[in-house]
Every structure is written in structure tokens, then in C-alpha cells.
Amino acid sequence: QLQLQESGPGLVKPSETLSLTCTISGGSISSSTYYWGWIRQPPGKGLEWIGSIYYSGSTYYNPSLKSRVTISVDTSKNQFSLTLSSVTAADTAVYYCARQSAVAGNWFDPWGQGTLVTVSS
Amino acid sequence: EIVLTQSPDFQSVTPKEKVTITCRASQSIGSSLHWYQQKPDQSPKLLIKYASQSFSGVPSRFSGSGSGTDFTLTINSLEAEDAATYYCHQSSSLPYTFGQGTKLEIK
């Protein structure tokens, strides 16, 4: 059974860079039928798609965050990562990684448990 | 950007009741609409893909319908475990967007 697990610092200072990693177990990140995505959810609010990556390294991002976001993949570790630069309090959220269907529909499942990142000095 | 508007925002319902949640897109998205369930302190789980296709393992009381701009998630014979927030999500065009969520409370 495929599982995803987010990891990274839970506290980031304003203007610094947020870095998270998603580790995949029970399956391969190199599957040709899936992308891998990041989605975030501010406390008590809705969901926002951040961006997605294919195992080859091909990426696409939400234009609202594109200037600050980089998503990368490490197939040898079965991981993909998110960096978000110049963070502010508005970036405080639970960050989820998820598998994304690449062949039909681009839906997300499963999701990791999520990790709360707080931006504060 | 395609905006998804769900209604209602909140609904208090009794067990065994039938529940209907709607999701309206700001422009036509064909059938590229998916539904998720998020229980408190849990990550979202896919219920319905492509507007009406039930995802593996999802109870049969959950069903979806619609195309174009208007979509519906129906829960037949609601159970207590269905207390959650439900989100629609469109993948027709970038950026992918989600509805604001509909919170179901079980009386």
C-alpha cells in the first residue's frame, strides 16, 4: 500500500526558505502513470495546489506561487521536495504531498498525513 | 483561474438522511471534477473522480453527478462517520483549484 510522509522544519522565520521532503513507501516514484504534488491548507481554511512534478523532473506550478516555488525529485531516494522562498505569515499552513494521476483526471490520492509549517520569528 | 463555489458552506444533518452538496465552476470543465472527504485532523481522501466515478473502496452511499459547470455529491443514508468537510477539485485547467469546502455536522 502506497504511503507518503512529509518531513521538515515546523517553524520557519519570515523571509527565509521553507523546505519539505516527501518520502514514498510501498511504491516507486518512477511510475510513468503518476505525477507527485504538493498542496497546502492554512489553519481552518481550504486547499491550495502548489505544484507538481513527474519522475523525469518535469514540473508545473501554481502561478500565484511560481516565483517562489521549486519542486525537485530524487528517484534514488524515492523522494520529492518542495522549497518556498521568502516566506511570510501567509505561508503558514499544513503542507501535504500527494500522488497525482497522470493518465486520467489528475486527481490526488493518496495524501500524506500533512505537516504544519508555522512562519514566525 | 477557475473558481469553484460549493453550497452549502455548512449543513447539520441527521443519520440516514440524504445529503446533496453542489459545486459550481466559473467556466465549463467537462467532467474534470473530483470530490474529497476530509475528517478532522486527517488528510483529504478521494471519494469520486471524473464527476461520477467512485474511487476504490469508497462506500456505495457516495455518488457524484454533473458535467460542464454544475456538479453534485450525494450521500445516501448518511452515517455518523460521514461527519467531515467535503471539497470539490477541478483539473480541467491550470492552476488546479478547490472549492471552499462544505462542512457536514451530524446531529
Side-chain angles (χ1 to χ4, degrees), chain A:
Chain A
Q1 178 182 348
L2 188 82
Q3 292 186 316
L4 297 91
Q5 178 70 57
E6 305 88 351
S7 59
L11 181 64
V12 181
K13 290 182 168 56
S15 79
E16 296 190 345
T17 296
L18 176 161
S19 295
L20 296 174
T21 296
C22 181
T23 301
I24 299 158
S25 59
S28 174
I29 198 170
S30 299
S31 170
S32 61
T33 54
Y34 296 104
Y35 274 81
W36 306 90
W38 287 99
I39 303 105
R40 69 180 183 178
Q41 184 173 37
K45 296 189 177 180
L47 300 161
E48 179 182 32
W49 171 72
I50 299 170
S52 300
I53 190 165
Y54 197 55
Y55 76 93
S56 63
S58 173
T59 56
Y60 54 111
Y61 302 126
N62 191 322
S64 68
L65 298 167
K66 186 175 183 179
S67 63
R68 299 192 291 130
V69 171
T70 301
I71 298 176
S72 59
V73 64
D74 187 335
T75 56
S76 67
K77 294 182 179 179
N78 226 28
Q79 296 176 333
F80 63 107
S81 298
L82 168 71
T83 62
L84 181 66
S85 63
S86 303
V87 298
T88 69
D91 296 310
T92 293
V94 175
Y95 285 76
Y96 296 101
C97 59
R99 184 180 67 176
Q100 174 187 335
S101 170
V103 296
N106 288 300
W107 35 262
F108 296 102
D109 192 89
W111 299 50
Q113 67 182 30
T115 187
L116 175 63
V117 178
T118 301
V119 178
S120 175
S121 55

Side-chain angles (χ1 to χ4, degrees), chain A residues 39 41 45-49 52 60-64 96 99-100 103-114, chain B residues 1 32 34 36 38 41-46 48-50 55 87 89-92 94-101:
Chain A
I39 303 105
Q41 184 173 37
K45 296 189 177 180
L47 300 161
E48 179 182 32
W49 171 72
S52 300
Y60 54 111
Y61 302 126
N62 191 322
S64 68
Y96 296 101
R99 184 180 67 176
Q100 174 187 335
V103 296
N106 288 300
W107 35 262
F108 296 102
D109 192 89
W111 299 50
Q113 67 182 30
Chain B
E1 173 174 316
S32 298
H34 321 293
Y36 301 84
Q38 185 178 33
D41 298 320
Q42 293 187 18
S43 57
K45 289 180 171 56
L46 180 66
I48 303 290
K49 56 186 175 81
Y50 260 141
F55 192 63
Y87 293 94
H89 154 227
Q90 70 80 21
S91 61
S92 175
L94 297 175
Y96 303 137
T97 51
F98 293 84
Q100 82 276 16

Side-chain angles (χ1 to χ4, degrees), chain B residues 1-102:
Chain B
E1 173 174 316
I2 294 175
V3 177
L4 298 178
T5 303
Q6 293 182 228
S7 61
D9 290 331
F10 174 85
Q11 191 168 4
S12 184
V13 292
T14 56
K16 299 187 180 181
E17 192 174 335
K18 177 180 177 179
V19 173
T20 299
I21 299 170
T22 65
C23 177
R24 175 162 290 176
S26 58
Q27 63 190 74
S28 180
I29 58 173
S31 296
S32 298
L33 190 286
H34 321 293
W35 290 97
Y36 301 84
Q37 176 194 64
Q38 185 178 33
K39 295 183 178 180
D41 298 320
Q42 293 187 18
S43 57
K45 289 180 171 56
L46 180 66
L47 295 175
I48 303 290
K49 56 186 175 81
Y50 260 141
S52 61
Q53 298 176 11
S54 294
F55 192 63
S56 175
V58 174
S60 58
R61 63 181 180 276
F62 292 93
S63 63
S65 64
S67 66
T69 59
D70 294 305
F71 301 86
T72 300
L73 173 69
T74 301
I75 310 173
N76 283 298
S77 192
L78 191 80
E79 298 190 5
E81 67 181 27
D82 300 333
T85 300
Y86 294 83
Y87 293 94
C88 56
H89 154 227
Q90 70 80 21
S91 61
S92 175
S93 67
L94 297 175
Y96 303 137
T97 51
F98 293 84
Q100 82 276 16
T102 295

